[in-house]
Amino acid sequence: ISPTTLLPTVSPTTSAPTPLGSLSPTSVASLSPSSLPSIVPTHQASGSPTSREGVVFDIIVSVSPAIEDYLLSNEKTPQHEAFSWLVETVRFGEHSRDRIVQRYALAVIFFALDGPNWERNTKWLDDSDECFWYNKGVPSCSAKGVFVYFDISSNNLSGSIPDELALLTGLLEINLSGNSVTGRIPPALGSLKKLQHLELADTMITD
């Protein structure tokens, strides 16, 4: 796929595409779940600045401040599951801050879209470099390890696209077509300034 030839396409159905420019730009820093819990968290994840949990928590909150209480108090969300997985697997000597954010975003996507039941989820959430996790047809990452192509089309995905997809700020193409993906296109995707192609044909997405 040649990034220079990609045309902006948003096609929740097989109808005429909607230009990406119609998505409302949203600051990645303002990403927030659709319904934040109102309860006060009973513990403080970053109580020790040197703890694994605290360091990972502070990195995530730095790119998505509104997620703080959500991570701490709601254990049944994709965000909490991704956070717990990341705390257990992060390697601080190897994973830069940007890669920690990238791995967190991908893990949220995995849990939000029923990753365990995908037709193919090879290497997803194992200890390998996330650039080698299953992706259809093309390399996922640039030479610098930045996610640029995200294609898991026709792969038995279900659920709603999480806002955290917008944390993958280097994306040129997203293809989730041919899956039972529901809900709306997250407005946060409007912050993906490099995105050239968004393919959602044959899904249940509404715009």
Side-chain angles (χ1 to χ4, degrees), residues 128-188:
S128 65
D129 188 321
E130 65 275 14
C131 292
F132 297 103
W133 295 354
Y134 172 71
N135 193 58
K136 190 174 183 178
V138 296
S140 303
C141 296
S142 69
K144 295 183 178 181
V146 176
F147 242 75
V148 290
Y149 295 108
F150 189 78
D151 184 350
I152 43 177
S153 56
S154 303
N155 198 38
N156 199 40
L157 279 63
S158 62
S160 299
I161 301 171
D163 285 349
E164 283 77 7
L165 181 56
L167 293 176
L168 302 175
T169 56
L171 283 174
L172 299 172
E173 177 178 343
I174 300 169
N175 189 345
L176 299 176
S177 63
N179 290 295
S180 299
V181 181
T182 58
R184 295 182 177 273
I185 300 170

Side-chain angles (χ1 to χ4, degrees), residues 11-33:
S11 48
T13 65
T14 56
S15 58
T18 301
L20 287 175
S22 66
L23 298 176
S24 301
T26 302
S27 169
V28 173
S30 67
L31 294 181
S32 59

Side-chain angles (χ1 to χ4, degrees), residues 3 38-40 44 60 90 110 117 119 122 145 151 178 192 194 200 205:
S38 59
I39 60 175
V40 177
Q44 184 60 261
I60 294 172
V90 68
F110 180 85
N117 291 313
E119 288 185 9
T122 308
D151 184 350
L192 294 175
K194 298 179 180 180
L200 298 172
I205 291 287

Side-chain angles (χ1 to χ4, degrees), residues 1-195:
I1 297 175
S2 173
T4 59
T5 60
L6 294 174
L7 296 176
T9 303
V10 181
S11 48
T13 65
T14 56
S15 58
T18 301
L20 287 175
S22 66
L23 298 176
S24 301
T26 302
S27 169
V28 173
S30 67
L31 294 181
S32 59
S34 57
S35 56
L36 294 175
S38 59
I39 60 175
V40 177
T42 57
H43 66 284
Q44 184 60 261
S46 56
S48 169
T50 59
S51 71
R52 293 172 62 86
E53 186 179 40
V55 173
V56 172
F57 175 82
D58 290 341
I59 290 172
I60 294 172
V61 171
S62 73
V63 296
S64 185
I67 204 72
E68 181 170 355
D69 289 349
Y70 205 59
L71 281 174
L72 288 169
S73 59
N74 196 334
E75 296 183 357
K76 296 182 179 180
T77 63
Q79 290 80 8
H80 189 278
E81 289 183 286
F83 173 69
S84 298
W85 168 80
L86 191 57
V87 168
E88 294 298 321
T89 61
V90 68
R91 296 193 293 272
F92 291 115
E94 177 183 339
H95 297 154
S96 66
R97 177 188 178 280
D98 288 345
R99 282 198 60 197
I100 289 172
V101 172
Q102 181 166 272
R103 289 171 71 84
Y104 168 72
L106 291 167
V108 173
I109 294 165
F110 180 85
F111 289 116
L113 297 178
D114 196 23
N117 291 313
W118 292 354
E119 288 185 9
R120 296 191 63 182
N121 56 15
T122 308
K123 292 186 178 295
W124 274 78
L125 302 196
D126 70 9
D127 289 336
S128 65
D129 188 321
E130 65 275 14
C131 292
F132 297 103
W133 295 354
Y134 172 71
N135 193 58
K136 190 174 183 178
V138 296
S140 303
C141 296
S142 69
K144 295 183 178 181
V146 176
F147 242 75
V148 290
Y149 295 108
F150 189 78
D151 184 350
I152 43 177
S153 56
S154 303
N155 198 38
N156 199 40
L157 279 63
S158 62
S160 299
I161 301 171
D163 285 349
E164 283 77 7
L165 181 56
L167 293 176
L168 302 175
T169 56
L171 283 174
L172 299 172
E173 177 178 343
I174 300 169
N175 189 345
L176 299 176
S177 63
N179 290 295
S180 299
V181 181
T182 58
R184 295 182 177 273
I185 300 170
L189 296 191
S191 68
L192 294 175
K193 303 303 182 184
K194 298 179 180 180
L195 188 64

